[in-house]
Amino acid sequence: PAETPARASRVGAAPGIGMSSKKAAARRRRAAEPDVSVAVARAERRLEKFSAARSASSSRGASLGDAVAYAAIVLGVCLMLSSRRIPVHRPEDFAPMRRAGRLAARALAHVEPHVVPGVDTETLDDVVRAFLSSRGARAATLGYRGYNHSSCISPNEVVCHGVPSKSVVLNAGDIVNVDIAVVTSEGWHADVSKTFFVGGLESADANARRLVDATRDALTAGLDECRPG
């Protein structure tokens, strides 16, 4: 089965959980981010310049001015986004990061025996929710923008982020991806997913096996390129 390794981050910790360390991490991130105000101000000045030119020019010239002004805005936004940096974590952050990753991996292993023909995807989501709750954690997805589930479950042609439902029942020969994101009591987030063969590998057709194999190979190739720098 194709599996993604747990990914951990300190973004968006739950309210009241590790707030002091969360605030300290936020201050470090803000301090590491470069000042993008110059790029934004430059884009605004260009917009003002070409807006003035539009008022004094012909309709053809105004259209050209609009196009350049919009391009300047896009350029300013691109400069702002490209200048943001990924925060570099301290050595003492690695231990809680690994704990979050292990919990996410264990949640995925816990749900695997329940992925059988005849089960609906909402039942699998309930299994995930109960497991995380018993470990003093919760799903990072739960409550996010009104999302009321602890996982995303995507069978067959659903590419990703499938919504668990009683009406979606798995059958032998299906493939299904279970995606779990957790947030620990320390405020760390971790995410992991895996694609399962419902009913076992022998139940899947050649197309399903080829898809999972190719996806696993692509993941492995990407991981081989992950290194400092």
Side-chain angles (χ1 to χ4, degrees):
E3 182 175 355
T4 59
R7 304 184 298 275
S9 67
R10 193 66 190 274
V11 179
I17 299 178
M19 292 304 293
S20 60
S21 56
K22 175 186 173 184
K23 291 178 180 178
R27 286 196 296 270
R28 291 197 302 274
R29 286 195 297 270
R30 287 195 295 270
E33 291 181 355
D35 185 5
V36 299
S37 59
V38 174
V40 175
R42 185 181 299 116
E44 291 176 344
R45 287 196 299 271
R46 290 180 178 176
L47 177 59
E48 292 174 357
K49 175 182 177 181
F50 287 106
S51 294
R54 181 182 58 184
S55 300
S57 64
S58 63
S59 59
R60 179 179 179 181
S63 298
L64 177 60
D66 286 344
V68 176
Y70 293 145
I73 294 173
V74 171
L75 176 61
V77 172
C78 289
L79 287 172
M80 179 177 64
L81 295 177
S82 65
S83 63
R84 294 188 178 275
R85 299 175 182 173
I86 298 174
V88 177
H89 295 293
R90 301 169 299 175
E92 56 265 35
D93 292 329
F94 297 158
M97 185 187 299
R98 291 189 178 102
R99 285 193 289 271
R102 282 195 295 268
L103 178 61
R106 287 170 182 166
L108 195 60
H110 179 77
V111 77
E112 183 169 2
H114 300 271
V115 181
V116 295
V119 70
D120 62 81
T121 56
E122 186 170 309
T123 296
L124 295 179
D125 185 71
D126 290 340
V127 170
V128 173
R129 186 181 311 209
F131 176 84
L132 294 179
S133 177
S134 70
R135 268 64 178 179
R138 65 173 179 84
T141 53
L142 187 61
Y144 177 74
R145 296 192 177 184
Y147 191 73
N148 194 34
H149 302 282
S150 296
S151 63
C152 294
I153 303 179
S154 310
N156 300 321
E157 74 280 358
V158 180
V159 177
C160 65
H161 299 162
V163 179
S165 172
K166 282 289 185 185
S167 64
V168 179
V169 178
L170 301 179
N171 300 301
D174 289 343
I175 57 174
V176 60
N177 181 270
V178 180
D179 187 343
I180 303 172
V182 306
V183 57
T184 67
S185 59
E186 298 172 286
W188 284 90
H189 288 217
D191 181 279
V192 66
S193 74
K194 185 175 182 178
T195 297
F196 301 99
F197 294 104
V198 182
L201 178 61
E202 62 279 2
S203 299
D205 63 22
N207 286 332
R209 291 195 296 269
R210 185 164 62 251
L211 173 63
V212 173
D213 288 343
T215 305
R216 183 194 300 109
D217 292 343
L219 171 64
T220 301
L223 291 175
D224 288 343
E225 296 301 317
C226 291
R227 59 180 66 88

